[in-house]
Amino acid sequence: QKEVEQNSGPLSVPEGAIASLNCTYSDRGSQSFFWYRQYSGKSPELIMFIYSNGDKEDGRFTAQLNKASQYVSLLIRDSQPSDSATYLCAVYTGGFKTIFGAGTRLFVKA
Amino acid sequence: GAGVSQSPSNKVTEKGKDVELRCDPISGHTALYWYRQSLGQGLEFLIYFQGNSAPDKSGLPSDRFSAERTGGSVSTLTIQRTQQEDSAVYLCASSEYRYNYGYTFGSGTRLTVV
């Protein structure tokens, strides 16, 4: 059973702080890794993807991948109340299917 | 279209009735996916279509569920003899390069079986 694990939270951070979201996956053959943001009552929205070990930065967001540890993370710098949402980690393991974690709820306090 | 369009946005049906959910993907996207999200849960893969290839139906939870994609574009997910456990948000997504660049999701259909 291929799995993607996330802490359900909620993760609460003050406005302006760095939010760190973590995800582990079970399939060592996983190829692509994604972070989606889902606001309450809305559908998921892709915010980052990463393929290679290391860091990938896009504005206030940084995705980090460590394939040896089977670990992917998302850092959100200068967190804003509008970042409050559920963040879904997703892993492509082959066979044209992407497996999603259950998500981490983030709450940014103004 | 500009985005992935799903209809209806909400559907309330009586237990035992059949329902059809529709998805119109982004024009030119060859891959189309159906996922299901129950309240407070992650996304559960249901079925995948890629171009004219045979669909991957491995995620369909029972033979009451079926899906088709006509002309490589619009897809319909059909649930026969609905049960209360079928209540969930059904999400459709499409992508241009299959998995490589992630998915664009539609706004979903919230199905409630009473």
Side-chain angles (χ1 to χ4, degrees), chain A residues 31-32 34 36 38 41-46 49 51 88 92 95-103, chain B residues 33 35 37 40-43 45 48 56 58 91 98-108 110:
Chain A
Q31 302 170 22
S32 313
F34 306 87
Y36 289 81
Q38 186 173 26
K42 302 295 185 182
S43 58
E45 172 192 15
L46 178 69
F49 62 87
Y51 307 130
L88 304 174
Y92 176 71
F96 312 122
K97 280 179 287 190
T98 297
I99 298 175
F100 287 78
Chain B
Y33 308 81
Y35 282 82
Q37 187 172 36
Q41 302 298 310
L43 274 67
F45 168 79
Y48 159 76
D56 177 353
S58 61
L91 291 163
R98 294 192 291 190
Y99 60 91
N100 283 348
Y101 299 103
Y103 303 162
T104 301
F105 282 89
S107 56
R110 182 176 298 277

Side-chain angles (χ1 to χ4, degrees), chain A residues 43-44, chain B residues 1-7 22-27 29 31-34 69 73-75 90-96 102-109:
Chain A
S43 58
Chain B
V4 178
S5 177
Q6 290 189 248
S7 62
R22 176 189 167 100
C23 173
D24 194 350
I26 291 173
S27 178
H29 279 194
L32 185 148
Y33 308 81
W34 284 97
R69 187 178 186 189
S73 181
V74 173
S75 177
Y90 288 80
L91 291 163
C92 175
S94 70
S95 67
E96 183 175 1
Y103 303 162
T104 301
F105 282 89
S107 56
T109 294

